[in-house]
mmCIF file of all heavy atoms in Angstrom:
data_model
loop_
_atom_site.group_PDB
_atom_site.id
_atom_site.type_symbol
_atom_site.label_atom_id
_atom_site.label_comp_id
_atom_site.label_asym_id
_atom_site.label_seq_id
_atom_site.Cartn_x
_atom_site.Cartn_y
_atom_site.Cartn_z
ATOM 1 N N GLY A 152 29.204 348.984 -157.545
ATOM 2 C CA GLY A 152 29.173 348.750 -156.099
ATOM 3 C C GLY A 152 30.209 349.559 -155.389
ATOM 4 O O GLY A 152 29.941 350.171 -154.311
ATOM 5 N N TYR A 153 31.369 349.656 -155.971
ATOM 6 C CA TYR A 153 32.441 350.454 -155.359
ATOM 7 C C TYR A 153 32.040 351.952 -155.300
ATOM 8 O O TYR A 153 32.228 352.606 -154.293
ATOM 9 C CB TYR A 153 33.743 350.306 -156.186
ATOM 10 C CG TYR A 153 34.877 351.092 -155.568
ATOM 11 C CD1 TYR A 153 35.702 350.535 -154.600
ATOM 12 C CD2 TYR A 153 35.165 352.390 -155.979
ATOM 13 C CE1 TYR A 153 36.741 351.265 -154.047
ATOM 14 C CE2 TYR A 153 36.178 353.132 -155.425
ATOM 15 C CZ TYR A 153 36.984 352.569 -154.473
ATOM 16 O OH TYR A 153 38.006 353.291 -153.911
ATOM 17 N N LEU A 154 31.501 352.443 -156.384
ATOM 18 C CA LEU A 154 31.147 353.857 -156.456
ATOM 19 C C LEU A 154 30.001 354.137 -155.488
ATOM 20 O O LEU A 154 29.950 355.206 -154.844
ATOM 21 C CB LEU A 154 30.744 354.261 -157.862
ATOM 22 C CG LEU A 154 31.913 354.271 -158.865
ATOM 23 C CD1 LEU A 154 31.396 354.479 -160.278
ATOM 24 C CD2 LEU A 154 32.922 355.391 -158.515
ATOM 25 N N SER A 155 29.042 353.242 -155.362
ATOM 26 C CA SER A 155 27.962 353.432 -154.435
ATOM 27 C C SER A 155 28.497 353.472 -153.003
ATOM 28 O O SER A 155 28.025 354.231 -152.136
ATOM 29 C CB SER A 155 26.902 352.319 -154.572
ATOM 30 O OG SER A 155 26.153 352.487 -155.733
ATOM 31 N N PHE A 156 29.508 352.681 -152.721
ATOM 32 C CA PHE A 156 30.174 352.697 -151.400
ATOM 33 C C PHE A 156 30.818 354.083 -151.186
ATOM 34 O O PHE A 156 30.661 354.705 -150.137
ATOM 35 C CB PHE A 156 31.218 351.609 -151.311
ATOM 36 C CG PHE A 156 32.196 351.794 -150.167
ATOM 37 C CD1 PHE A 156 31.784 351.522 -148.870
ATOM 38 C CD2 PHE A 156 33.484 352.211 -150.407
ATOM 39 C CE1 PHE A 156 32.700 351.667 -147.831
ATOM 40 C CE2 PHE A 156 34.384 352.414 -149.362
ATOM 41 C CZ PHE A 156 33.999 352.159 -148.047
ATOM 42 N N ILE A 157 31.526 354.559 -152.208
ATOM 43 C CA ILE A 157 32.191 355.866 -152.072
ATOM 44 C C ILE A 157 31.240 356.999 -151.780
ATOM 45 O O ILE A 157 31.515 357.894 -150.964
ATOM 46 C CB ILE A 157 33.001 356.182 -153.379
ATOM 47 C CG1 ILE A 157 34.160 355.241 -153.521
ATOM 48 C CG2 ILE A 157 33.501 357.623 -153.391
ATOM 49 C CD1 ILE A 157 35.221 355.317 -152.459
ATOM 50 N N VAL A 158 30.047 356.962 -152.414
ATOM 51 C CA VAL A 158 29.074 358.047 -152.219
ATOM 52 C C VAL A 158 28.161 357.817 -151.020
ATOM 53 O O VAL A 158 27.272 358.613 -150.756
ATOM 54 C CB VAL A 158 28.260 358.319 -153.515
ATOM 55 C CG1 VAL A 158 29.159 358.665 -154.633
ATOM 56 C CG2 VAL A 158 27.354 357.124 -153.848
ATOM 57 N N GLY A 159 28.407 356.693 -150.305
ATOM 58 C CA GLY A 159 27.647 356.457 -149.065
ATOM 59 C C GLY A 159 26.339 355.704 -149.238
ATOM 60 O O GLY A 159 25.570 355.622 -148.264
ATOM 61 N N ASN A 160 26.075 355.106 -150.384
ATOM 62 C CA ASN A 160 24.882 354.327 -150.587
ATOM 63 C C ASN A 160 25.214 352.855 -150.350
ATOM 64 O O ASN A 160 25.432 352.108 -151.318
ATOM 65 C CB ASN A 160 24.300 354.557 -151.982
ATOM 66 C CG ASN A 160 22.908 353.908 -152.141
ATOM 67 O OD1 ASN A 160 22.498 353.088 -151.333
ATOM 68 N ND2 ASN A 160 22.208 354.314 -153.183
ATOM 69 N N TYR A 161 25.281 352.462 -149.093
ATOM 70 C CA TYR A 161 25.817 351.117 -148.759
ATOM 71 C C TYR A 161 24.836 350.012 -149.148
ATOM 72 O O TYR A 161 25.286 348.875 -149.485
ATOM 73 C CB TYR A 161 26.118 351.069 -147.285
ATOM 74 C CG TYR A 161 27.067 352.161 -146.852
ATOM 75 C CD1 TYR A 161 26.789 352.988 -145.784
ATOM 76 C CD2 TYR A 161 28.208 352.435 -147.577
ATOM 77 C CE1 TYR A 161 27.598 354.025 -145.402
ATOM 78 C CE2 TYR A 161 29.084 353.472 -147.230
ATOM 79 C CZ TYR A 161 28.777 354.267 -146.155
ATOM 80 O OH TYR A 161 29.584 355.299 -145.827
ATOM 81 N N GLU A 162 23.557 350.272 -149.119
ATOM 82 C CA GLU A 162 22.604 349.263 -149.517
ATOM 83 C C GLU A 162 22.752 348.915 -150.980
ATOM 84 O O GLU A 162 22.782 347.741 -151.364
ATOM 85 C CB GLU A 162 21.178 349.761 -149.222
ATOM 86 C CG GLU A 162 20.091 348.701 -149.502
ATOM 87 C CD GLU A 162 18.706 349.144 -149.071
ATOM 88 O OE1 GLU A 162 18.605 350.131 -148.322
ATOM 89 O OE2 GLU A 162 17.768 348.496 -149.481
ATOM 90 N N ASP A 163 22.878 349.956 -151.824
ATOM 91 C CA ASP A 163 23.052 349.757 -153.243
ATOM 92 C C ASP A 163 24.401 349.120 -153.507
ATOM 93 O O ASP A 163 24.532 348.253 -154.406
ATOM 94 C CB ASP A 163 22.926 351.040 -154.058
ATOM 95 C CG ASP A 163 23.030 350.788 -155.543
ATOM 96 O OD1 ASP A 163 22.112 350.161 -156.112
ATOM 97 O OD2 ASP A 163 24.072 351.182 -156.121
ATOM 98 N N ALA A 164 25.425 349.518 -152.766
ATOM 99 C CA ALA A 164 26.757 348.931 -152.935
ATOM 100 C C ALA A 164 26.713 347.431 -152.777
ATOM 101 O O ALA A 164 27.255 346.691 -153.557
ATOM 102 C CB ALA A 164 27.734 349.557 -151.959
ATOM 103 N N THR A 165 26.051 346.989 -151.711
ATOM 104 C CA THR A 165 25.898 345.582 -151.448
ATOM 105 C C THR A 165 25.132 344.877 -152.563
ATOM 106 O O THR A 165 25.490 343.796 -153.038
ATOM 107 C CB THR A 165 25.234 345.327 -150.112
ATOM 108 O OG1 THR A 165 26.014 345.910 -149.056
ATOM 109 C CG2 THR A 165 25.084 343.831 -149.795
ATOM 110 N N ALA A 166 24.025 345.545 -153.036
ATOM 111 C CA ALA A 166 23.204 344.956 -154.063
ATOM 112 C C ALA A 166 24.010 344.772 -155.356
ATOM 113 O O ALA A 166 23.889 343.761 -156.069
ATOM 114 C CB ALA A 166 22.008 345.843 -154.311
ATOM 115 N N GLN A 167 24.820 345.775 -155.688
ATOM 116 C CA GLN A 167 25.626 345.696 -156.910
ATOM 117 C C GLN A 167 26.695 344.607 -156.794
ATOM 118 O O GLN A 167 26.948 343.877 -157.775
ATOM 119 C CB GLN A 167 26.282 347.058 -157.201
ATOM 120 C CG GLN A 167 25.327 348.189 -157.479
ATOM 121 C CD GLN A 167 24.504 347.934 -158.781
ATOM 122 O OE1 GLN A 167 24.938 347.254 -159.676
ATOM 123 N NE2 GLN A 167 23.262 348.479 -158.788
ATOM 124 N N LEU A 168 27.308 344.468 -155.638
ATOM 125 C CA LEU A 168 28.286 343.421 -155.464
ATOM 126 C C LEU A 168 27.652 342.047 -155.563
ATOM 127 O O LEU A 168 28.210 341.089 -156.126
ATOM 128 C CB LEU A 168 29.048 343.579 -154.105
ATOM 129 C CG LEU A 168 29.911 344.806 -153.965
ATOM 130 C CD1 LEU A 168 30.479 344.866 -152.531
ATOM 131 C CD2 LEU A 168 31.051 344.785 -154.948
ATOM 132 N N ASP A 169 26.445 341.928 -154.987
ATOM 133 C CA ASP A 169 25.715 340.647 -155.081
ATOM 134 C C ASP A 169 25.368 340.353 -156.529
ATOM 135 O O ASP A 169 25.466 339.203 -156.988
ATOM 136 C CB ASP A 169 24.441 340.729 -154.275
ATOM 137 C CG ASP A 169 24.685 340.716 -152.775
ATOM 138 O OD1 ASP A 169 25.787 340.342 -152.339
ATOM 139 O OD2 ASP A 169 23.749 341.071 -151.984
ATOM 140 N N TYR A 170 24.967 341.391 -157.279
ATOM 141 C CA TYR A 170 24.656 341.223 -158.712
ATOM 142 C C TYR A 170 25.859 340.748 -159.457
ATOM 143 O O TYR A 170 25.822 339.761 -160.241
ATOM 144 C CB TYR A 170 24.100 342.558 -159.276
ATOM 145 C CG TYR A 170 23.355 342.430 -160.559
ATOM 146 C CD1 TYR A 170 22.509 343.506 -160.982
ATOM 147 C CD2 TYR A 170 23.494 341.337 -161.387
ATOM 148 C CE1 TYR A 170 21.808 343.428 -162.149
ATOM 149 C CE2 TYR A 170 22.787 341.306 -162.584
ATOM 150 C CZ TYR A 170 21.943 342.306 -162.970
ATOM 151 O OH TYR A 170 21.294 342.243 -164.159
ATOM 152 N N ALA A 171 27.016 341.402 -159.205
ATOM 153 C CA ALA A 171 28.238 341.025 -159.859
ATOM 154 C C ALA A 171 28.601 339.553 -159.576
ATOM 155 O O ALA A 171 29.043 338.817 -160.433
ATOM 156 C CB ALA A 171 29.383 341.973 -159.489
ATOM 157 N N LYS A 172 28.367 339.196 -158.314
ATOM 158 C CA LYS A 172 28.706 337.820 -157.906
ATOM 159 C C LYS A 172 27.807 336.792 -158.611
ATOM 160 O O LYS A 172 28.279 335.745 -159.033
ATOM 161 C CB LYS A 172 28.532 337.692 -156.394
ATOM 162 C CG LYS A 172 29.020 336.342 -155.837
ATOM 163 C CD LYS A 172 28.976 336.346 -154.290
ATOM 164 C CE LYS A 172 29.547 335.038 -153.757
ATOM 165 N NZ LYS A 172 29.546 335.046 -152.257
#
Side-chain angles (χ1 to χ4, degrees):
Y153 181 88
L154 291 171
S155 287
F156 166 75
I157 290 296
V158 301
N160 189 344
Y161 306 128
E162 184 174 346
D163 183 70
T165 300
Q167 295 297 330
L168 293 176
D169 288 345
Y170 197 160
K172 187 174 183 178

